[in-house]
Amino acid sequence: LTHDESFHSAYPWWPHADLPPRVVHALAHVLRLVILAVSVTVAWRWGARHQDTPRLSALMLLALWTATLYLILPEMKSRYALYLFPAFLPLIAAAAGALRSGSKWRGVGLTALVVLCTGALIQLTPKPWRMCGPGLAATLLVWLSVLLLMRADELRSGED
């Protein structure tokens, strides 16, 4: 969103809005607050509705908060991607469950999501793609996927 001379001289074709850096930082903080507010709301609702399944609740809340914290912390580094691993556990479990129950395409899709996000997080992407932020996109996808899994479980159990 802002013009960085060292970055834009290397990638002159990459668009920017030429906003002042302080405005970009303020927008990033607002986005972090929105992500945090969504996560707090989901965690609050989940905890209140799933007291009868403490192990599942612990796993899902761990996944949610791991993804949330990794997403809102500034300057994510691929070497810290290991800390996001707990967020993958419910995705892996959902993929295995889908494959076992005969939902082949859902299982393959979730498996592909895990593999692609893992590759993006540890920067197993071509160098030109890395400047587009695939690690951030992967982290956002993992966070959204955990939220969707939590919502799908609520819909299956008839709660809303």
Side-chain angles (χ1 to χ4, degrees):
L1 294 175
T2 189
H3 182 77
D4 180 341
E5 189 58 43
S6 62
F7 176 81
H8 283 99
S9 62
Y11 303 101
W13 51 270
W14 187 254
H16 60 86
D18 207 19
L19 295 172
R22 64 185 169 85
V23 171
V24 174
H25 289 141
L27 290 172
H29 291 314
V30 168
L31 183 59
R32 287 183 182 111
L33 284 173
V34 168
I35 291 167
L36 187 60
V38 168
S39 297
V40 165
T41 302
V42 170
W44 188 277
R45 289 182 60 180
W46 179 272
R49 293 180 175 181
H50 291 84
Q51 294 178 2
D52 57 334
T53 55
R55 288 186 208 116
L56 176 64
S57 291
L59 175 65
M60 294 306 290
L61 291 173
L62 173 67
L64 174 65
W65 285 112
T66 301
T68 300
L69 292 175
Y70 194 79
L71 185 59
I72 65 175
L73 291 176
E75 297 191 34
M76 297 177 297
K77 303 287 186 201
S78 63
R79 64 180 172 258
Y80 302 132
L82 174 65
Y83 300 127
L84 189 58
F85 177 73
F88 283 105
L89 292 175
L91 298 174
I92 294 167
L99 291 170
R100 268 195 318 270
S101 70
S103 300
K104 178 182 174 185
W105 292 112
R106 183 171 189 264
V108 169
L110 285 168
T111 302
L113 175 72
V114 169
V115 170
L116 291 173
C117 287
T118 301
L121 284 166
I122 59 175
Q123 296 187 359
L124 292 176
T125 56
K127 189 172 181 175
W129 291 7
R130 288 186 211 148
M131 51 80 78
C132 298
L136 175 61
T139 306
L140 183 61
L141 271 173
V142 170
W143 180 72
L144 288 171
S145 298
V146 169
L147 290 176
L148 289 173
L149 282 176
M150 293 174 92
R151 182 67 180 151
D153 185 75
E154 283 187 358
L155 291 175
R156 266 194 311 278
S157 63
E159 300 168 1
D160 194 16

